[in-house]
């Protein structure tokens, strides 16, 4: 068996082991359930409101949008955060010292982050089915749409997370990434349709994957006539594939270059310096 295959198998095993560990760690369980509780409380109180121009529940419309947002947070921010933390504590340096260790490390993190994001979708969607009307999970078309939206969304966001995680050395600087994403949430129609926004803001929202992840999840889980309240009056599947595919290609082109550059720069002295700065923050 060649070294690359060994690294892939080791990475897969590592990802599965780390995923199992999340179910026994209180902090990880908190990250599973706290966002779920916040989201479900929000959509529960929104269920009495309706999407403008329809009698459809705004809460039911918001849940699929929020699931798309969760894929972005889980894929992009999840992997970026893992890389930043592992750079600081020396995990990446140890992986670099092993033949094909970086490949195995990345495979393990991709398995972990993808699985956590998918588990989050299931945990958030399942309770919502009991108090939100109109979600069409009984329709085979819904599952077919989910079968391409979810993987494409992860492919579009995971490489970007790797790029961001490679560029940021200090975990405290992750806020520089999180704050713009919160701004995009307001523009991307996650909690309310964006038809009333100025045209230039609608254009900004449509440049980034968040809007298309929300739209794709809505197209999978909501009745077809709800497409009338979307921009263009349709679910725009071809545009969704095009934009998410473009971000996936961009990320897949940039990620290897940035990751190799980051790996070359890793050294014991850099890890020691980051560890010293971390101790100063704690102190």
């Amino acid at each position: 068996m060649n070294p690359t295959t060994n690294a892939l198998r080791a990475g897969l095993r590592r990802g599965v082991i780390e995923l199992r560990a999340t179910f026994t760690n209180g902090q990880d369980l908190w990250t599973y359930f706290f966002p779920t509780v916040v989201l479900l409380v929000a959509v529960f109180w929104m269920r009495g409101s309706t999407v403008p121009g329809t009698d459809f529940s705004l809460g039911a419309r918001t849940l699929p949008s929020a699931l798309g947002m969760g894929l972005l947070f889980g894929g992009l921010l999840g992997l970026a955060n893992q890389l930043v933390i592992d750079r600081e504590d020396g995990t990446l340096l140890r992986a670099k010292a092993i033949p094909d260790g970086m490949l195995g490390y990345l495979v393990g993190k991709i398995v972990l982050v993808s699985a956590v994001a998918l588990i989050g979708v299931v945990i958030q969607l399942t309770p919502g089915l009991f108090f939100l009307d109109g979600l069409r999970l009984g329709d085979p078309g819904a599952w077919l749409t989910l079968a391409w939206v979810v993987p494409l969304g992860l492919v579009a966001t995971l490489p970007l997370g790797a790029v961001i995680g490679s560029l940021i050395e200090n975990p405290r600087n992750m806020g520089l990434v999180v704050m713009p994403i919160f701004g995009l949430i307001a523009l991307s129609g996650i909690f309310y349709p964006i038809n009333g926004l100025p045209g230039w803001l609608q254009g900004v929202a449509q440049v980034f994957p968040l809007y298309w992840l929300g739209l794709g999840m809505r197209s999978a889980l909501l009745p077809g006539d709800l497409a009338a309240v979307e921009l263009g009056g349709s679910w725009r599947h071809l545009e969704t594939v095009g934009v998410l595919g473009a971000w996936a290609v961009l990320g897949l082109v940039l990620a290897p270059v940035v990751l190799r550059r980051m790996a070359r720069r890793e050294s014991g002295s850099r890890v020691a310096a980051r560890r010293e700065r971390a101790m100063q923050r704690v102190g």
Side-chain angles (χ1 to χ4, degrees), residues 86-87 90-98 102 266-269 271:
D86 287 348
R87 286 178 76 185
T91 300
L92 276 177
L93 183 61
R94 292 190 292 272
K96 176 186 172 182
I98 303 171
M102 282 297 296
E266 282 300 291
S267 64
S269 60
V271 172

Side-chain angles (χ1 to χ4, degrees), residues 5-266:
T5 303
N6 277 332
L8 293 174
R9 293 185 62 181
L12 179 60
R13 286 196 300 269
R14 175 181 181 143
V16 172
I17 292 171
E18 291 188 359
L19 178 63
R20 289 175 181 168
T22 64
F23 297 111
T24 60
N25 183 288
Q27 183 175 351
D28 290 328
L29 291 173
W30 176 260
T31 62
Y32 279 130
F33 290 104
F34 177 71
T36 300
V37 171
V38 171
L39 172 62
L40 293 178
V41 168
V43 298
F44 178 82
W45 289 109
M46 295 170 69
R47 76 193 193 285
S49 303
T50 58
V51 178
T54 74
D55 58 359
F56 192 80
S57 168
L58 184 60
R61 187 250 179 216
T62 298
L63 182 59
S65 304
L67 296 180
M69 177 182 70
L71 288 175
L72 180 89
F73 270 84
L76 191 153
L77 293 180
L79 187 54
N81 194 55
Q82 291 280 336
L83 283 169
V84 172
I85 292 174
D86 287 348
R87 286 178 76 185
E88 186 172 60
D89 66 12
T91 300
L92 276 177
L93 183 61
R94 292 190 292 272
K96 176 186 172 182
I98 303 171
D100 289 312
M102 282 297 296
L103 175 60
Y105 169 83
L106 287 172
V107 170
K109 290 304 178 184
I110 289 171
V111 169
L112 171 64
V113 170
S114 300
V116 169
L118 293 174
I119 291 170
V121 169
V122 174
I123 291 175
Q124 293 170 10
L125 178 59
T126 303
L129 297 174
F130 294 97
F131 63 84
L132 295 173
D133 296 324
L135 300 176
R136 63 182 193 110
L137 274 180
D139 186 344
W143 293 100
L144 288 175
T145 304
L146 288 173
W148 64 264
V149 170
V150 172
L152 182 57
L154 288 173
V155 174
T157 56
L158 284 168
L160 296 176
V163 171
I164 292 171
S166 299
L167 295 175
I168 296 176
E169 291 194 17
N170 190 334
R172 300 177 72 180
N173 291 337
M174 282 297 295
L176 300 175
V177 179
V178 174
M179 294 308 296
I181 290 179
F182 281 138
L184 278 178
I185 291 172
L187 298 179
S188 298
I190 299 301
F191 295 101
Y192 204 79
I194 66 173
N195 306 62
L197 293 177
W200 70 273
L201 285 178
Q202 295 178 14
V204 170
Q206 292 175 80
V207 170
F208 297 96
L210 179 56
Y211 169 80
W212 300 99
L213 280 170
L215 180 65
M217 295 299 284
R218 292 195 295 274
S219 73
L221 298 175
L222 299 183
D225 55 3
L226 260 293
V229 303
E230 300 290 345
L231 297 177
S234 73
W235 295 125
R236 298 196 288 171
H237 283 157
L238 289 178
E239 292 89 337
T240 301
V241 172
V243 176
L244 291 180
W247 278 100
V249 170
L250 177 64
L252 290 171
V253 169
L254 289 178
V257 176
V258 178
L259 284 167
R260 283 196 296 268
R261 175 178 174 272
M262 178 267 293
R264 285 196 301 267
R265 296 177 62 192
E266 282 300 291

